[in-house]
Amino acid sequence: MFYAVELSPPAIAYRTRHENYIVGSLGDVQQKFGIGTCIEVIEHLTPAILDKLAAQMSQRSESGAIYYIGSGQPEYVKNEDPQYLDPLGRGHVVSYSVQALRHIFAPYGFTVIPMFGRAWCVLIEYKSTAPVCNAEDLQTRIWNPVKTNIKLLKSGTFGDFLATVGLESARCYTEHAMCSERTTWAQSLSNMIASTR
């Protein structure tokens, strides 16, 4: 059910022997995918290489496929981890903004969805049918998950635990972002009223 694709794997002694562990590029894979994750990878890729990956992802994606991409955006680098870009140590050569990711992924049919309140990840959806324009749209999606995904999360040893943790962790940053946005709006109204007195 789960596959891993690794272009630059560790030494054989340190990697899994599972049949679904594929050494190569995504372009070498025959399956199509409905969901995926790419954590702390794209900051190692130049725009040209990321463009090639986006093209391969479009060829291997089912309609509506969604990918979680974890990578520090410029806001994160500036405000939370100034040492994030580290070509010689960690190999981090690029910090992609949401706008930059849209420029790369949109030509291949992807929609880049910001994870409101989180400057270190985005969602990338292939042939999206329900666009996410703001935090409220994302919150609506979080509260209405795909039923087969919830069933899968509840089917294991932990029962409802994984489904509950998934929902709560998805909500917390988005709700905080919505609260901050509304607070800023309310404060701006208060300042406007005060300035007219």
Side-chain angles (χ1 to χ4, degrees), residues 78-188:
K78 286 184 210 171
N79 301 327
E80 298 181 52
D81 188 359
Q83 307 305 312
Y84 187 80
L85 291 176
D86 180 14
L88 300 179
R90 293 187 276 180
H92 295 182
V93 296
V94 182
S95 172
Y96 290 99
S97 65
V98 171
Q99 184 178 357
L101 292 172
R102 285 178 175 148
H103 179 74
I104 292 170
F105 280 89
Y108 298 104
F110 289 97
T111 301
V112 177
I113 302 169
M115 296 292 283
F116 300 92
R118 289 166 259 199
W120 63 90
C121 60
V122 297
L123 296 174
I124 297 179
E125 189 171 36
Y126 185 64
K127 295 188 177 175
S128 178
T129 57
V132 172
C133 300
N134 52 47
E136 286 85 359
D137 290 345
L138 183 58
Q139 193 76 321
T140 298
R141 278 217 170 154
I142 291 168
W143 277 111
N144 297 285
V146 176
K147 288 182 177 32
T148 52
N149 292 345
I150 292 298
K151 184 178 177 185
L152 174 66
L153 288 172
K154 290 182 176 182
S155 69
T157 307
F158 295 105
D160 288 356
F161 177 72
L162 289 178
T164 302
V165 168
L167 174 64
E168 294 301 322
S169 62
R171 286 178 50 218
C172 66
Y173 285 102
T174 308
E175 288 188 4
H176 183 266
M178 288 166 56
C179 181
S180 295
E181 184 180 300
R182 289 172 184 166
T183 300
T184 302
W185 173 78
Q187 288 173 335
S188 72

Side-chain angles (χ1 to χ4, degrees), residues 2-17:
F2 295 94
Y3 289 81
V5 181
E6 179 58 75
L7 186 58
S8 303
I12 291 175
Y14 301 105
R15 70 174 90 146
T16 180
R17 290 184 172 80

Side-chain angles (χ1 to χ4, degrees), residues 12-30:
I12 291 175
Y14 301 105
R15 70 174 90 146
T16 180
R17 290 184 172 80
H18 195 283
E19 62 185 12
N20 290 354
Y21 183 75
I22 299 161
V23 176
S25 75
L26 191 57
D28 300 326
V29 178
Q30 298 307 309

